[in-house]
Coordinates of all heavy atoms in Angstrom, one line a residue:
Chain B
N667 N 4.8 43.6 33.6 CA 4.9 44.9 33.0 C 6.2 45.5 32.9 O 6.6 46.1 31.9 CB 3.9 45.9 33.6 CG 2.4 45.5 33.3 OD1 2.2 44.8 32.3 ND2 1.5 45.8 34.2
A668 N 6.9 45.4 34.1 CA 8.3 45.9 34.1 C 9.2 45.3 33.1 O 10.0 46.0 32.5 CB 8.8 45.8 35.6
L669 N 9.0 44.0 32.9 CA 9.9 43.3 32.0 C 9.5 43.6 30.5 O 10.3 43.4 29.6 CB 10.0 41.8 32.3 CG 10.7 41.5 33.6 CD1 10.5 40.0 33.9 CD2 12.2 41.8 33.5
G670 N 8.3 43.9 30.4 CA 7.8 44.4 29.1 C 8.1 43.4 27.9 O 7.5 42.3 27.9
G671 N 9.0 43.8 27.1 CA 9.3 43.0 25.9 C 9.7 41.6 26.2 O 9.3 40.6 25.5
L672 N 10.5 41.4 27.2 CA 11.0 40.1 27.6 C 9.8 39.2 27.9 O 9.7 38.0 27.5 CB 11.9 40.2 28.8 CG 12.8 39.0 29.0 CD1 13.7 38.7 27.8 CD2 13.7 39.2 30.3
Y673 N 8.9 39.7 28.7 CA 7.7 39.0 29.1 C 6.9 38.6 27.8 O 6.4 37.4 27.7 CB 6.8 39.8 30.0 CG 5.6 39.1 30.4 CD1 5.6 38.1 31.4 CD2 4.3 39.3 29.8 CE1 4.5 37.4 31.8 CE2 3.2 38.6 30.2 CZ 3.3 37.7 31.2 OH 2.2 37.0 31.6
T674 N 6.7 39.5 26.9 CA 5.9 39.2 25.7 C 6.6 38.1 25.0 O 5.9 37.2 24.4 CB 5.9 40.5 24.8 OG1 5.6 41.6 25.7 CG2 4.8 40.4 23.8
L675 N 7.9 38.2 24.9 CA 8.7 37.2 24.2 C 8.4 35.8 24.8 O 8.1 34.8 24.1 CB 10.2 37.5 24.3 CG 11.1 36.7 23.4 CD1 10.8 37.0 21.9 CD2 12.6 37.1 23.7
V676 N 8.5 35.7 26.1 CA 8.4 34.4 26.7 C 6.9 34.0 26.6 O 6.6 32.8 26.4 CB 8.8 34.5 28.2 CG1 8.4 33.2 29.0 CG2 10.3 34.8 28.3
Y677 N 6.0 34.9 26.8 CA 4.6 34.6 26.8 C 4.2 34.0 25.5 O 3.4 33.1 25.4 CB 3.8 35.9 27.1 CG 2.3 35.6 27.1 CD1 1.7 35.0 28.2 CD2 1.5 36.0 26.0 CE1 0.3 34.8 28.2 CE2 0.1 35.8 26.0 CZ -0.5 35.1 27.1 OH -1.8 34.9 27.2
N678 N 4.8 34.5 24.4 CA 4.5 34.0 23.1 C 5.5 32.9 22.7 O 5.7 32.6 21.5 CB 4.6 35.1 22.1 CG 3.4 36.0 22.2 OD1 2.3 35.6 22.1 ND2 3.7 37.3 22.6
K679 N 6.1 32.3 23.7 CA 7.0 31.1 23.4 C 8.1 31.4 22.5 O 8.4 30.6 21.6 CB 6.1 29.9 22.9 CG 4.9 29.6 23.7 CD 3.9 28.9 22.9 CE 2.5 29.1 23.5 NZ 1.4 28.7 22.5
Y680 N 8.7 32.6 22.6 CA 9.8 33.0 21.8 C 9.4 33.1 20.3 O 10.3 33.1 19.4 CB 11.0 32.1 22.0 CG 11.6 32.2 23.3 CD1 11.3 31.2 24.3 CD2 12.4 33.2 23.7 CE1 11.8 31.2 25.5 CE2 13.0 33.2 25.0 CZ 12.6 32.2 25.9 OH 13.2 32.3 27.2
F681 N 8.1 33.0 20.0 CA 7.7 33.1 18.6 C 8.3 32.0 17.8 O 8.5 32.1 16.6 CB 8.0 34.5 18.0 CG 7.3 35.6 18.7 CD1 8.0 36.4 19.5 CD2 5.9 35.8 18.4 CE1 7.3 37.5 20.2 CE2 5.3 36.9 19.1 CZ 6.0 37.7 19.9
V682 N 8.6 30.9 18.4 CA 9.2 29.8 17.7 C 8.2 29.2 16.7 O 8.6 28.9 15.5 CB 9.7 28.7 18.7 CG1 10.1 27.4 17.9 CG2 10.9 29.2 19.5
D683 N 7.0 29.0 17.1 CA 6.0 28.5 16.2 C 5.9 29.4 14.9 O 5.8 28.9 13.8 CB 4.6 28.4 16.8 CG 4.6 27.1 17.6 OD1 5.3 26.1 17.2 OD2 3.8 27.0 18.6
E684 N 5.8 30.7 15.2 CA 5.7 31.7 14.1 C 6.9 31.6 13.2 O 6.8 31.7 12.0 CB 5.5 33.1 14.7 CG 4.1 33.4 15.3 CD 4.0 32.8 16.7 OE1 4.9 32.2 17.2 OE2 2.9 32.9 17.2
L685 N 8.1 31.4 13.9 CA 9.3 31.4 13.1 C 9.3 30.2 12.2 O 9.6 30.3 11.0 CB 10.5 31.3 14.1 CG 11.9 31.4 13.5 CD1 12.1 32.8 13.0 CD2 12.9 31.0 14.5
Y686 N 9.0 29.0 12.8 CA 8.9 27.8 11.9 C 7.9 28.0 10.8 O 8.1 27.5 9.7 CB 8.5 26.6 12.8 CG 9.7 26.1 13.6 CD1 10.9 26.7 13.6 CD2 9.5 24.9 14.4 CE1 11.9 26.2 14.4 CE2 10.5 24.4 15.2 CZ 11.7 25.1 15.2 OH 12.8 24.6 16.0
D687 N 6.8 28.6 11.2 CA 5.7 28.8 10.3 C 6.2 29.6 9.1 O 6.0 29.2 7.9 CB 4.6 29.6 10.9 CG 3.3 29.5 10.1 OD1 3.0 28.4 9.7 OD2 2.7 30.5 9.8
A688 N 6.9 30.7 9.4 CA 7.4 31.5 8.3 C 8.6 30.9 7.6 O 8.7 31.0 6.3 CB 7.9 32.9 8.9
A689 N 9.4 30.1 8.3 CA 10.7 29.6 7.7 C 10.4 28.3 7.0 O 11.1 28.0 6.0 CB 11.8 29.5 8.7
V690 N 9.5 27.5 7.5 CA 9.4 26.1 6.9 C 8.0 25.9 6.3 O 7.8 25.6 5.2 CB 9.7 25.1 8.0 CG1 9.5 23.7 7.4 CG2 11.0 25.2 8.6
V691 N 7.0 26.2 7.2 CA 5.6 25.7 6.8 C 5.2 26.5 5.6 O 4.7 26.0 4.6 CB 4.6 25.9 8.0 CG1 3.3 25.5 7.5 CG2 5.1 25.1 9.1
R692 N 5.3 27.9 5.7 CA 4.8 28.7 4.5 C 5.5 28.4 3.2 O 4.8 28.1 2.2 CB 5.0 30.2 4.9 CG 4.0 30.7 5.9 CD 2.7 31.1 5.3 NE 1.7 31.2 6.4 CZ 1.7 32.3 7.2 NH1 2.5 33.2 7.0 NH2 0.8 32.3 8.1
P693 N 6.9 28.4 3.2 CA 7.5 28.1 1.9 C 7.1 26.7 1.4 O 6.9 26.6 0.2 CB 9.0 28.1 2.3 CG 9.1 28.9 3.5 CD 7.8 28.7 4.3
V694 N 7.0 25.7 2.3 CA 6.6 24.4 1.8 C 5.2 24.4 1.3 O 4.9 23.9 0.2 CB 6.7 23.4 3.0 CG1 6.0 22.1 2.6 CG2 8.1 23.1 3.3

Side-chain angles (χ1 to χ4, degrees):
Chain B
N667 288 335
L669 289 174
L672 197 60
Y673 179 79
T674 317
L675 191 65
V676 172
Y677 181 76
N678 288 301
K679 310 155 201 168
Y680 296 99
F681 297 102
V682 169
D683 277 334
E684 287 76 4
L685 189 71
Y686 284 2
D687 194 50
V690 181
V691 179
R692 287 277 165 75
V694 168

